[in-house]
Amino acid sequence: MARGPDYGAFTDKFVLESTSSAHDQPLHGLTFAVKDIFDVEGYVTGFGNPDWARTHSAATSTAPAVLAVLGGGATCVGKTVMDEMAYSINGENIHYGTPINPCAPDRVPGGSSSGSAVAVGAKLVDFSLGTDTGGSVRVPASYCGILGFRPSHDAVPSAGVIPMAQSFDTVGWFARDPVILSRVGHTLLQKSVMGPAKPSQIIIAEDLFQLSIIPNDRLGQVLVKSVEKIYGGHIVKHMVLGDYVRERVPSLKHFMSKEIKEQEYNIPSLAALSNVLRSLQRYEFKDNHGEWITAVKPELGPGISERVWEAVRTTGENIDACHSVKTELHAALAILLQDFGILAIPTVPGPPPKLQTDPTTLEIFRAKAFSLLSIAGVSGFCQVSIPLGMYENLPVAVSLLAKQGSDAFLLNVVESLYGTLKEQVEITGK
């Protein structure tokens, strides 16, 4: 479908001027867009679905996260398209159209914060706000070749944001420039720049890089060479993360099905971890929206419809075990990373899939993606997706994770590494 100059990114265009006229504000002169999951006073929060919009009235106040960046000097220029009810990482919407991926127009933009990522990738705004429950900032950031930050769980207020699953919901943001990413972060986190910018160790999860179909010389090695140049090779460590998680998170045994143990294409402990995330996500989604779905029976797109109704039918078994896994994984990764350690993994297992790919053919890709995405999701740790240029004309990304509450530190690391990563990508070639 042909789209206009806005790449199909927006559901509503309007201007909300900054609430501060001071020129020294960190976001002075910058423009941004917000995902249509955030309340903006006077506008219906559409949640990606016309039936939702039709059955809800306009917001009477604006979400604190939006107010924070307006207060930081930025101007809001509109609301962006999202996947229905935030229940997809693809970025396709049968009602409002699929925002065009500026990096690869024949590929999905990633979701569910699709329009927010596209608006930044297409240079329509300087930054944007999205949400990330299962991967909805990290995935579109990687697919659109931009920076995407999922903060520590509960680090940014989520009031005035429609909940998806509160155990995992976060308010995230996108930018093309690491300095802007950092400024937006400090504004939202309400924290000053703290801690040393230098990591004590950067751990390369070897088994996770093997999940990616991108050759390692264009992924893990680009990061390693950049780290060596900036910080020195002595801080680089290598490990098999799947084994560590299996040994340190005993409650995962409740989610380790025979099918998972026999999957050749995945890492069993992390496949079980993604089962935890999706089980608890379904349970909480039903608690939030089950009554509305049952009453309204909204028209939902393929893939999303099945997931939503599966959630409505969920019984909530193993929920206590889900919470045990969360506690154990958080503790295990806190021991591993300590205060200033970084874990490096691929953001997703490969390039963005083609538009309108049959959901069944994407099952293995989705399974591997959620093995990667569930690490930060279940632990509550912060994660940033960093673009590493293009491989075979498609965007590539790597992710860095730091312990819960170390968001300002992780933003500093991105600023320190970003220029060298770009140079290394150019040396390595397309």
Side-chain angles (χ1 to χ4, degrees):
M1 178 165 55
R3 306 306 290 268
D6 72 356
Y7 288 74
F10 290 89
T11 56
D12 263 309
K13 284 189 166 178
F14 50 78
V15 175
L16 283 183
E17 297 288 356
S18 163
T19 52
S20 167
S21 56
H23 286 254
D24 60 350
Q25 290 287 53
L27 308 178
H28 175 74
L30 300 180
T31 58
F32 74 101
V34 297
K35 181 178 183 173
D36 196 18
I37 198 171
F38 290 85
D39 285 349
V40 173
E41 186 180 353
Y43 293 87
V44 174
T45 309
F47 207 22
N49 181 271
D51 290 318
W52 181 278
R54 176 178 58 79
T55 54
H56 289 79
S57 50
T60 55
S61 59
T62 297
V66 177
L67 292 174
V69 289
L70 287 169
T75 299
C76 181
V77 297
K79 293 187 107 178
T80 56
V81 174
M82 61 175 283
D83 296 42
E84 299 174 78
M85 304 191 82
Y87 224 142
S88 175
I89 57 168
N90 251 15
E92 295 175 299
N93 189 309
I94 62 163
H95 307 286
Y96 302 115
T98 297
I100 295 168
N101 185 330
C103 271
D106 66 330
R107 304 285 172 138
V108 297
S112 62
S113 310
S114 52
S116 290
V118 166
V120 170
K123 302 182 179 175
L124 307 175
V125 291
D126 297 302
F127 70 92
S128 62
L129 299 185
T131 58
D132 189 312
T133 302
S136 291
V137 164
R138 294 162 290 166
V139 173
S142 69
Y143 288 179
C144 292
I146 57 174
L147 291 153
F149 199 94
R150 175 200 164 94
S152 301
H153 189 249
D154 281 343
V156 177
S158 57
V161 183
I162 299 173
M164 203 275 178
Q166 288 91 329
S167 287
F168 311 113
D169 288 348
T170 60
V171 169
W173 58 98
F174 302 93
R176 294 181 301 279
D177 178 289
V179 176
I180 292 176
L181 188 83
S182 204
R183 285 184 188 165
V184 173
H186 291 303
T187 303
L188 286 170
L189 295 160
Q190 303 288 306
K191 284 183 180 175
S192 55
V193 180
M194 293 167 64
K198 186 175 176 179
S200 55
Q201 55 177 345
I202 293 188
I203 299 169
I204 311 293
E206 293 286 357
D207 50 337
L208 272 62
F209 280 96
Q210 286 167 17
L211 282 184
S212 175
I213 63 170
I214 308 295
N216 201 37
D217 66 337
R218 271 300 281 107
L219 201 58
Q221 280 306 109
V222 171
L223 176 65
V224 168
K225 286 174 181 172
S226 303
V227 168
E228 287 171 350
K229 193 168 179 183
I230 296 286
Y231 301 121
H234 64 284
I235 71 163
V236 178
K237 309 279 190 292
H238 298 263
M239 76 173 298
V240 177
L241 187 72
D243 289 353
Y244 180 84
V245 169
R246 190 188 68 243
E247 290 159 11
R248 299 287 185 122
V249 186
S251 295
L252 270 181
K253 65 178 181 287
H254 298 291
F255 302 90
M256 198 79 81
S257 65
K258 184 172 182 285
E259 178 195 30
I260 280 177
K261 288 176 184 168
E262 291 171 358
Q263 282 178 2
E264 289 178 10
Y265 56 82
N266 216 333
I267 297 163
S269 61
L270 299 184
L273 197 63
S274 73
N275 270 357
V276 171
L277 186 141
R278 287 191 277 190
S279 296
L280 190 48
Q281 181 182 34
R282 280 193 291 267
Y283 180 73
E284 294 184 349
F285 181 87
K286 175 186 180 176
D287 195 46
N288 291 321
H289 306 302
E291 282 183 24
W292 179 83
I293 292 156
T294 307
V296 174
K297 297 185 175 56
E299 186 190 344
L300 298 163
I304 293 175
S305 178
E306 289 82 346
R307 280 194 288 283
V308 163
W309 284 102
E310 184 185 8
V312 170
R313 289 189 296 269
T314 195
T315 57
E317 61 182 317
N318 269 354
I319 293 307
D320 289 346
C322 288
H323 287 290
S324 298
V325 169
K326 279 188 72 188
T327 304
E328 291 164 12
L329 181 71
H330 185 282
L333 293 183
I335 290 165
L336 179 69
L337 295 184
Q338 311 270 310
D339 284 342
F340 298 111
I342 297 276
L343 178 67
I345 66 173
T347 306
V348 284
K354 287 187 172 170
L355 288 162
Q356 294 174 328
T357 303
D358 183 332
T360 53
T361 65
L362 283 178
E363 277 177 14
I364 289 178
F365 185 87
R366 273 179 62 84
K368 289 164 70 171
F370 279 107
S371 287
L372 296 165
L373 295 164
S374 61
I375 298 165
V378 177
S379 66
F381 282 30
C382 48
Q383 178 175 342
V384 61
S385 182
I386 306 173
L388 294 183
M390 308 282 272
Y391 175 74
E392 296 184 344
N393 294 318
L394 293 169
V396 177
V398 72
S399 269
L400 305 179
L401 288 80
K403 84 168 197 182
Q404 189 164 13
S406 294
D407 305 70
F409 160 67
L410 187 58
L411 287 164
N412 287 347
V413 172
V414 179
E415 276 197 71
S416 303
L417 271 176
Y418 192 76
T420 307
L421 281 168
K422 277 189 82 168
E423 287 167 18
Q424 199 59 49
V425 166
E426 285 165 19
I427 293 164
T428 312
K430 308 284 186 192

